[in-house]
């Protein structure tokens, strides 16, 4: 395999990793605040694909993108209010079971509404424009994805570390009950967290499906699980860790396909999960927690 081919596949892997990173941040944010694995997150990402298909059928692409992101964000907030908020004082297992129920509900609802036949993802001309860099060629979306991912992560880190909302989010993640006693509006913080996670899933959806060209009701299942693994790999609850995990899985998966091991590209992700849980359960950047007696 020539160096040009390797670089070409690395470029594709970095682009895929950027989309994974955006989705993984949603898992890590919700876990950091609620200690909940939101298994419906991959299906919110899938629904964003359908929102884009129907929006672009009626509106110009800039308006369709805005509609898709707004509806996806609103959907995340509504799911939290209806499926998770009533169970907040219940055992953690109850909320997790509810998350699995929401995931299957979204899959079956989309199957009923849109059928299981793959729907073609609309082409946004500016994203599909091809650029030539020496012997390398890449579409604009391939170049845009990692750049946009880094920009959004920097903005998110500033929000978390430099704003009152971010301070409230960090307080709630450290001690839920104490934050409530200190007068922090818990419901608002959690809604903001789900809104950010769903917004990033919507952005990731546009970048991901632009290259894959079709959406089915089950399009979010495998990417969602891979992004969960990315969050665990980086240290679930840690935003930079989720980004590193997303890029790592995207690059390795693409290289395995390039080397002819496409059969094992998905298996590698879950093998990585098992190894990480055995060797370093808190992930690369996760903090060790000390249980107080």
């Amino acid at each position: 395999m020539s160096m040009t081919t390797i670089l070409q596949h690395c470029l594709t892997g970095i682009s895929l990793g950027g989309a994974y990173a955006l989705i993984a941040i949603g898992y890590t944010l919700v876990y950091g605040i609620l200690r909940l694995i939101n298994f419906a997150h991959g299906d919110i990402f899938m629904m964003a694909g359908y929102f884009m298909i129907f929006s672009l059928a009626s509106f110009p692409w800039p308006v369709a993108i805005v509609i898709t992101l707004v509806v996806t964000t609103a959907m995340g907030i509504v799911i939290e209010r209806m499926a998770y908020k009533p169970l907040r004082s219940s055992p953690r297992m109850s909320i997790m079971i509810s998350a699995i129920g929401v995931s299957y509900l979204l899959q079956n609802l989309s199957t009923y509404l849109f059928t299981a036949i793959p729907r073609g993802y609309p082409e946004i001309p500016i994203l599909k424009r091809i650029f030539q860099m020496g012997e390398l060629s890449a579409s604009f979306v391939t170049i845009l994805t990692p750049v946009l991912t880094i920009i959004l992560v920097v903005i998110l880190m500033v929000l978390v570390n430099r704003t009152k909302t971010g301070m409230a989010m960090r307080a709630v993640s450290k001690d839920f009950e104490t934050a409530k006693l200190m007068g922090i509006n818990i419901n608002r913080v959690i809604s903001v967290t789900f809104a950010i996670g769903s917004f990033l899933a919507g952005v990731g959806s546009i970048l991901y499906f632009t290259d894959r060209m079709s959406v089915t009701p089950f399009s979010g299942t495998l990417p969602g699980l891979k992004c969960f693994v990315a969050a665990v790999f980086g240290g679930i609850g840690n935003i930079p860790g989720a980004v590193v995990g997303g890029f790592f899985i995207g690059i390795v998966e693409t290289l395995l396909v390039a080397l002819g091991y496409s059969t094992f590209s998905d298996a590698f992700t879950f093998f990585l999960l098992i190894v990480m849980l055995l060797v370093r359960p808190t992930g690369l950047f996760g903090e060790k927690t000390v249980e107080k007696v």
Side-chain angles (χ1 to χ4, degrees), residues 77 80 100 110 121 160 201 217 274-275:
I77 296 170
E80 190 279 324
I100 295 170
S110 57
Y121 197 75
V160 169
I274 294 166
V275 171

Side-chain angles (χ1 to χ4, degrees), residues 88-111:
R88 205 168 288 162
S89 57
S90 304
R92 201 170 295 165
M93 184 61 70
S94 301
I95 310 181
M96 193 170 291
I97 292 168
S98 178
I100 295 170
V102 172
S103 172
Y104 281 106
L105 172 66
L106 291 177
Q107 287 177 18
N108 284 276
L109 183 64
S110 57
T111 303

